[in-house]
Structure formats: structure tokens, C-alpha cells
Amino acid sequence: MGQMIYFDYNATSPVMPASRQAWLDATEQFIGNPSSPHRIGARADGALSDARERLAAILGCDPLDIVWTSGATESNNAVLHHFARTLDPKAEVWISAIEHPCVIQAAQHYFPRRRRLVPVTPDGIIDLDWLAVELSETRPGLVAVMAANNVTGVLQPWREALAICRQYKVPFFCDAVQWLGKIPAKGLGDCDFVSGCAHKFGGPRGIGFLKCPNKGHVQSLIFGGPQEEGRRAGTENVAGAISLVAALEAREKAMASGEAKPRVGWREDFERHLLEAAPGAIIVGKGKRRLWNTVAALMPDVAAQARWVVKLDKLGFAVSTGSACSTGKEEPSHVLCAMSLKPAEATRVLRFSSGWETTPDEWTALAEAVGKVYVDANPMRTQTVP
Ligand code: PLP
């Protein structure tokens, strides 16, 4: 494989140096099991508590609200499982129509006849009016709204949704996987349940967390030992937790020093170049608040359109279609269908997602490559990328 430029950070990201170093140091320093009764175990337990405190400080919650998990799929499943075990048998759960499949399918599994989808506008934003009106009439047992969508990058009004849920005393769950590390995490700790994972913001795979109530009983998805206050059995991934926090702290620091700002401009420049390079393309969610790293583009209906990903790959660019989980499947993304795109249109959407490491030159090169694929598919046309 020749040199590839990576534009699929929403699927997973490379481990950043600070996180890698933290992981290496932790595996050497903390060799014990945090549950072991000796000082080596206690040292590992202390390191884990320290990581918990640092993460809680970023989210703005009590350290004991944090449960370490293997990743967000587990965290999200754990939330739905907990409510399936504890809710009144008639209570519904309401989840937004654009949640990640690990929320939608877990809800489908645990609440097959008691699950309602919160609709979204054609811009890909959850319909707050719908939520306010419906909540004034019925009380579900849980409302789930993600912070930022993984396919479109469109930011969701989770603060407003949380406020409405508070008004009616309905627990609120926010999947913050794509928000964390790209937008400051402040305030997320106010949600009753929050999920996140390290590998989307420069930490390693296989480590995530769930912010959940520490008092009362969160039902563990996994049976075994009493770790994590009985909320998640299994030996904790100490080095993973430490490197997750190292990555998130580094990202928060970069944001605090203004490093995200120019990146919004780089994404906007790319969008302009893309529209020139592939006339007729449409930026999904254009004009709405979106993650600075994500562009979902409905590509023009040109010959061989279905092969954009393959053709861009041949030119050295790793890009995606819908979410990573639906890549390779023929079905159009449920996120795009929920936004009222026709199935045939949804299959024409490409997702470009950059990372902190991506340079403006790489964005420009990507736009040029899109132009090349477009012109190759339309020999009669010319491209105008600068
Ligand atoms: N939630 C969202 C919004 C995601 O984008 C993803 C991954 O794509 C997940 C959950 C699942 O996360 P993990 O890969 O840690 O299981």
C-alpha cells in the first residue's frame, strides 16, 4: 500500500503520542490488578482513581459517576440494559432517530414494542419542539440524544433536550462519542448518562467510559466481580483509562488554546473546493453547527458514483460512506434516511472526517482528488479546483 491520507477519523483515529506514552508508562508502572490486596494492587487502584478524577473534572461530575468500559458500544448497551431491568414494564424509551446503531439496536432488543424515535429535521437536528410537546403529554423512562452525529457531524441541542427532560424529571442519556475531543466537554457531566470512547480522540481502542449515577443501582451488563462499585464486572484496563485521559486532556488543552478555530476554516475551504470540483454536490447539514472535522457530501449522480470510495482509495485517500458500522453493507444510512433523504440519495453520500493531525494541504489534496474522480467519470466536464 502506498502512502494514504486518512480522512476517516470518525471511524477511529491514530493514537496520539501523549496517549501512547501514557499507556507505555502505565503498563510498566502499574502492573497490579486494582482489586488485589497488596500494595502493587493498591498502586494500580490509586492510578485508576486518579484517572477517574481527571476525567470527572473534564466532564464536570463526581469521580464515582465514572465507570470504565471497553468502549462506547458497551457503554450504550449497558444504559439500555439498565433501563430494561429497572423501568416500569409499560414505560417507553425515546431515542433519537439518528443514534448510533449500538443505541438503536440495543433499544430494539430490550424495548421492541416500547421504543419511540425522536424525529429529526431535514438538517439532521433532533426536533426539540416534538420532544417538548410529546413530553408534556407522556413520560418515557428515558430519552437518548447524542451530542454530535457521526455521519453528518451535525451538533445536537443536547443541552436544550436535557433541560426539557429535567423539567419533566425524565432521565437523559447522551452519547458524546463524536463530540469529545473535538468540542469542549464542559457540561456533559450534567446529563444522567454519558458515553465516550478513547479511540475517536487519539486514545487507544478497547477503553471507554459511562458516566452514570453512583448511588442507587446501575445494573451491570456483565456479571462477575464487584469492580466499579458493582456496575461493571471485569479487571479494569488501568493503562487504557490513563491513556484515555491523557488524550482527552491534550485535546481539551488544544481547544482551550484556540487550535480548533482554524480547523473550522479548513473544513469550510474544503467544502467550497468540493462544490467547485464536483458541481451538483450538496453538503449535508450545510449552514448548521457541525463538527469541525466532518463533511458529509451528497455527491452528484454521475456514472460510477458508487465507486467513489474505491476510486479515492486508489488515489491515496481513505474516506467513508455512512458510519463505519454500515460500510460494506448495501443499506443506506438510517441517519440520512431520517433526514428525509431518499434511499438512492443516501447511498451517494460520502463522509470525509479529519483529525487534529490533518493539514490544510491534505484537505486541498482531497478536494483535488474528488475533482479528478468527477472528471474521470464525466470526461466532458472540467474541474476548477484551485
Ligand atoms: N456512538 C457513536 C456516535 C459512534 O460514532 C460510535 C463509533 O463509531 C460508537 C458509539 C461506538 O463506539 P465504540 O467503537 O467505542 O464501540
Side-chain angles (χ1 to χ4, degrees), residues 10-12 70-76 98-103 146-151 175-179 195-200 205-208 323-325 351:
N10 285 8
T12 195
S70 64
T73 296
E74 182 193 324
S75 304
N76 292 351
I98 54 169
E99 293 299 301
H100 190 269
C102 65
V103 173
M146 69 196 331
N149 184 262
N150 46 302
V151 177
D175 170 341
V177 164
Q178 297 290 349
W179 177 288
S195 59
C197 60
H199 74 104
K200 307 287 189 185
R205 283 166 223 178
I207 181 74
S323 73
C325 306
R351 180 185 72 180

Side-chain angles (χ1 to χ4, degrees), residues 135-156:
L135 272 180
S136 69
E137 289 170 4
T138 327
R139 303 281 184 283
L142 174 72
V143 168
V145 175
M146 69 196 331
N149 184 262
N150 46 302
V151 177
T152 62
V154 173
L155 306 188
Q156 301 302 315

Side-chain angles (χ1 to χ4, degrees), residues 98 119-127 152 154 156 282-286 288 290 298 335-342 345:
I98 54 169
V120 298
T121 66
D123 291 320
I125 302 172
I126 64 134
D127 189 339
T152 62
V154 173
Q156 301 302 315
I282 294 167
I283 308 294
V284 179
K286 193 167 175 58
K288 297 298 163 201
R290 283 177 290 139
L298 171 55
V335 172
L336 300 165
C337 293
M339 294 169 65
S340 309
L341 259 72
K342 296 192 186 77
E345 289 175 328

Side-chain angles (χ1 to χ4, degrees), residues 35 125 135 148 183 292 313 335 380:
S35 303
I125 302 172
L135 272 180
I183 302 200
W292 52 260
D313 187 303
V335 172
M380 304 304 289

Side-chain angles (χ1 to χ4, degrees), residues 1-44:
M1 187 172 67
Q3 191 74 13
M4 291 284 287
I5 299 181
Y6 191 64
F7 274 97
D8 199 14
Y9 277 74
N10 285 8
T12 195
S13 67
V15 177
M16 70 186 298
S19 182
R20 178 175 180 274
Q21 195 56 50
W23 192 90
L24 291 170
D25 293 346
T27 48
E28 281 186 7
Q29 285 170 21
F30 308 114
I31 60 166
N33 183 323
S35 303
S36 291
H38 40 67
R39 277 179 293 159
I40 290 178
R43 214 174 293 153

Side-chain angles (χ1 to χ4, degrees), residues 10 17 72 96 117 142 147 185 224 234 272 325-326 372:
N10 285 8
S96 90
L117 295 180
L142 174 72
R272 235 186 359 265
C325 306
S326 59
K372 186 165 174 8

